Amino acid sequence: MSTTAVQLSAEIVALQEGIGKMYDEHSAFWEAIFGDHIHQGYYDLDVPLPTLGPLNSYGLIWRAEDLSKFPKNVIDVGCGLGGTTHYLGSKYGAKCVGVTLSPYQVQRASELAAAQGLSEKVSFQVANALNLPFPDGHFDFVWSMECGEHMPEREKFISELVRVAAPGATIIVAAWCHRDLLSSEKSLKPSEKQHLDKITKVYHLAEWCSIADYVKLLKPHPVENVKSDDWSKYITPFWTQATHAALSCNDKGTHDTTDITTAMGWMNEGYEKDIIKFVEADEEDSRDSRCSKFYILISHKDDGIQQDVRQNFATELERGLDGIAV
């Protein structure tokens, strides 16, 4: 093995250890703010924030679902405290497994599942998203929200998601990205890089990429019919609300939360300056008889169906959002 390969491997191990440690230390704090779904929220801009609540994280799951049939086997890659896993297991009655690098999150997600009577349907384990401990074609729904940002080898990450997807499976990835570059640009502006570097250091992220970079990673795979959607403006309100909630939270645990709270403000600024994008893309797997869909939450699609879904979002929330399709 070359020196470069050994060094890269060591860097990946160090990054993953930092990720696991961060979530071990701060997940209790995030749970106090967000509940068990410790991810960004989706906000309908036509509905006042008090109507949806200050931290509407579950709206993002409901908006992302696009399932023509109920899944039977689900994996949540980067499951956090299991909010998405609990929701999918409860809604679809599917066998769900959540994976994370954090032993604390596995323990807490399992406790929350038991409290909801979901222990027979939902399970959690420590696992590496770059080397998932599951056979090929095992899951008919592969979900990963805000996990790809941590991946130092995104081509391997995407390959693993596709590998464990069964024929006809749906794959959804929700990810932070930086803006797409203009045709005249070779890279982000120095000030933009500096802004993202601050966030990267605090949240133990890998190098940022764009939606265009994600699309390139998908080219080696037998997928087609790519679709995408940019939800950035519907995500931006979350970070203002999250920062305020973090600053006013009295249950900060035993670890210093100054840096991660400050970084929430940087995330908000990144969205407002159009540096950060929240991404959706959908593809069909053309290999053999497979027809898998791949979603990356990015590039705005403003057709009539999308408008109707947005306008009726508050009503659908009250109905439990059964059957919402993006």
Side-chain angles (χ1 to χ4, degrees), residues 109-119:
S110 299
E111 292 171 352
L112 292 169
Q116 297 176 51
L118 294 171
S119 294

Side-chain angles (χ1 to χ4, degrees), residues 11 18 45 51 110 126 183-184 198 206 254-255 286 310 313 322:
E11 291 174 353
L45 302 183
T51 302
S110 299
V126 175
S183 58
S184 59
K198 294 188 298 184
T254 59
H255 299 279
S286 60
R310 289 195 203 99
F313 186 67
D322 290 328

Side-chain angles (χ1 to χ4, degrees), residues 79-240:
C79 64
L81 296 176
T84 311
T85 326
H86 302 145
Y87 169 78
L88 295 171
S90 176
K91 178 171 182 177
Y92 296 112
K95 284 284 187 180
C96 299
V97 58
V99 299
T100 171
L101 289 172
S102 166
Y104 173 86
Q105 289 188 334
V106 167
Q107 177 183 345
R108 184 60 181 147
S110 299
E111 292 171 352
L112 292 169
Q116 297 176 51
L118 294 171
S119 294
E120 292 186 2
K121 290 288 185 182
V122 176
S123 64
F124 300 91
Q125 65 186 79
V126 175
N128 184 350
L130 299 179
N131 186 24
L132 293 169
F134 306 102
D136 296 357
H138 190 66
F139 300 99
D140 56 358
F141 186 20
V142 178
W143 168 277
S144 182
M145 175 177 282
E146 297 179 275
C147 175
E149 300 88 318
H150 293 298
M151 296 297 121
E153 294 182 343
R154 285 195 182 88
E155 64 279 4
K156 176 62 174 172
F157 171 60
I158 296 299
S159 294
E160 281 294 275
L161 299 184
V162 174
R163 180 185 67 79
V164 300
T170 295
I171 305 173
I172 297 180
V173 174
W176 304 352
C177 291
H178 68 61
R179 65 172 179 83
D180 281 334
L181 300 178
L182 301 175
S183 58
S184 59
E185 295 179 310
K186 293 184 178 180
S187 64
L188 293 173
K189 299 173 184 177
S191 60
E192 293 174 324
K193 290 182 178 179
Q194 291 171 4
H195 188 90
L196 296 181
D197 285 347
K198 294 188 298 184
I199 299 170
T200 297
K201 183 177 180 180
V202 174
Y203 288 144
H204 298 273
L205 307 179
E207 184 177 356
W208 289 69
C209 70
S210 67
I211 180 57
D213 295 325
Y214 264 107
V215 172
K216 289 178 183 177
L217 292 176
L218 293 167
K219 287 185 177 180
H221 300 284
V223 290
E224 55 188 24
N225 299 329
V226 178
K227 293 188 292 184
S228 59
D229 201 0
D230 183 351
W231 290 355
S232 302
K233 64 181 179 181
Y234 304 104
I235 302 301
T236 301
F238 170 83
W239 288 100
T240 300

Side-chain angles (χ1 to χ4, degrees), residues 15 22 40 45 70 75 82 85 115 123 155 182 200 249 290:
L15 175 61
M22 176 185 67
Q40 296 179 113
L45 302 183
F70 280 18
I75 183 170
T85 326
S123 64
E155 64 279 4
L182 301 175
T200 297
C249 179
R290 301 185 67 167

